[in-house]
Amino acid sequence: MDTQSLQAFLAVAESGSFSRAAEQLHLTQPAVSKRIAALENQIDARLFDRIGRRVGLTEAGRVLLPRARQILVMVDDSRRALSNLEGSVAGSLTLATSHHIGLHRLPPLLRRYTREHPEVRLDLHFLDSEEAYQGVLDGALEMAVVTLAPHPDPQLLAVPVWIDRLCFVCAPDHPLARRGPLALAELCAFDAVLPGPLTFTRGLIESRFAAAGLRLPVALSTNYLETLKMMTAIGLGWSLLPERLVAGELHELAIDHPPIHRPLGYLVHRSRTLSNAARAMLEALEAAREPAAKTSPGEVG
């Protein structure tokens, strides 16, 4: 099996479309179809069912999918291992980060990194933390700087770099703003605007309320914290936001409850050979680790 055919197979399987796969690979659609046909001839099995405009994996395709990912990761690892022998910090570094971290935590670090390593081309992806987590796990991403999962997959190395304190906030004219120290139960009488239900941050918040026997009254949700800040500021509900976002427009509530913190840090796959560019990025992240992150659980996963 040649790697180009496997890349075409993976692109079609993940996008569910020959045309979208062609766009991703910068090929024509007939060229993608030709590579898939060659792969099907090699294994003597159909890989996709084509029903109208829909493309789905056959049983053979579902069997091949995880193995194709493994083969391509091994090929990339071999290339990186050989390139690392030169000792130079150069080439491309595929790095994923969340919008919040990319806007509020990474800029000073990236500025220094690009000045110190001008030969590295950063391939920066802004993704939800959960999507980036899966990308590192699947081998599609070399590393990610995101909100860390409470229980990372054991195949991943997850290291906290920063610790975010989440603040209970509301608009200055919200009814809660006029009250003194509040219990969690009192918050539940009012609408909340929070991160999406599948996010690590939402899970962290829900676990605190569930431990107190409470259910969150979520009226609206979004994965973009800056949007949550706006919705809170115009009075659509109370929220929990990182301390760095609480300024001017929001009123911080006094809550009779231990502070809620979330770890932000980097993820790499334990079995992956990292490029010299990625190793240099890890060194920069290690140098940026806050004291609170070093005294937290540390390396997990």
Side-chain angles (χ1 to χ4, degrees):
M1 298 183 193
D2 67 276
T3 57
Q4 290 185 337
S5 294
L6 288 175
Q7 286 171 341
F9 165 70
L10 206 57
V12 174
E14 291 177 346
S15 67
S17 164
F18 277 74
S19 60
R20 284 196 293 271
E23 290 174 7
Q24 290 174 17
L25 298 172
H26 305 291
L27 297 171
T28 63
Q29 189 170 330
V32 171
S33 298
K34 185 176 180 180
R35 291 184 182 184
I36 298 298
L39 188 56
E40 289 176 330
N41 287 335
Q42 281 185 302
I43 64 174
D44 195 24
R46 286 183 61 187
L47 295 170
F48 296 102
D49 285 323
R50 302 163 181 82
I51 303 172
R53 294 185 178 182
R54 298 182 61 186
V55 176
L57 287 167
T58 63
E59 185 176 355
R62 288 191 292 273
V63 170
L64 179 61
L65 185 60
R67 290 167 173 79
R69 288 195 179 110
Q70 291 171 2
I71 291 168
L72 292 174
V73 167
M74 288 174 64
V75 170
D76 283 343
D77 277 359
S78 299
R79 287 174 179 157
R80 270 190 293 274
L82 292 171
S83 178
N84 285 349
L85 294 176
E86 298 177 5
S88 61
V89 180
S92 178
L93 170 60
T94 305
L95 170 68
T97 189
S98 68
H99 288 82
H100 177 71
I101 295 174
L103 288 173
H104 298 280
R105 297 285 191 174
L106 275 184
L109 186 147
L110 291 180
R111 186 183 299 114
R112 288 194 300 271
Y113 180 88
T114 53
R115 286 175 179 172
E116 292 173 5
H117 307 293
E119 299 301 314
V120 175
R121 183 178 65 83
L122 276 178
D123 182 13
L124 195 59
H125 297 248
F126 284 91
L127 304 171
D128 288 346
S129 293
E130 299 72 27
E131 187 180 354
Y133 176 100
Q134 193 60 47
V136 175
L137 192 59
D138 292 341
L141 298 169
E142 191 167 4
M143 62 183 298
V145 184
V146 292
T147 301
L148 300 182
H151 305 290
D153 189 289
Q155 297 178 80
L156 299 178
L157 174 65
V159 179
V161 176
W162 308 281
I163 302 297
D164 255 357
R165 180 173 75 89
L166 298 179
C167 303
F168 289 88
V169 293
C170 67
D173 58 352
H174 191 282
L176 286 170
R178 296 189 293 271
R179 299 193 183 185
L182 296 159
L184 291 184
E186 293 179 83
L187 291 175
C188 293
F190 297 86
D191 286 343
V193 291
L194 295 173
L198 300 180
T199 61
F200 299 143
T201 302
R202 174 72 169 270
L204 177 63
I205 297 168
E206 284 184 337
S207 66
R208 290 295 187 95
F209 277 77
L214 301 170
R215 186 174 179 179
L216 282 165
V218 181
L220 296 166
S221 63
T222 175
N223 293 358
Y224 297 102
L225 298 184
E226 283 72 16
T227 305
L228 281 180
K229 178 180 178 179
M230 178 275 294
M231 293 195 296
T232 306
I234 64 175
L236 298 184
W238 60 268
S239 188
L240 272 147
L241 292 172
E243 192 170 11
R244 285 177 169 239
L245 285 185
V246 180
E249 306 161 62
L250 301 176
H251 172 80
E252 183 174 355
L253 296 165
I255 305 296
D256 185 16
H257 186 78
I260 298 177
H261 297 93
R262 64 173 190 165
L264 313 176
Y266 65 81
L267 292 173
V268 292
H269 202 294
R270 292 183 183 275
S271 301
R272 186 160 191 170
T273 301
L274 296 177
S275 63
N276 288 341
R279 292 180 186 278
M281 179 61 73
L282 293 190
E283 289 175 5
L285 287 163
E286 282 291 333
R289 289 183 75 189
E290 294 177 342
K294 293 179 181 179
T295 56
S296 74
E299 296 181 4
V300 290

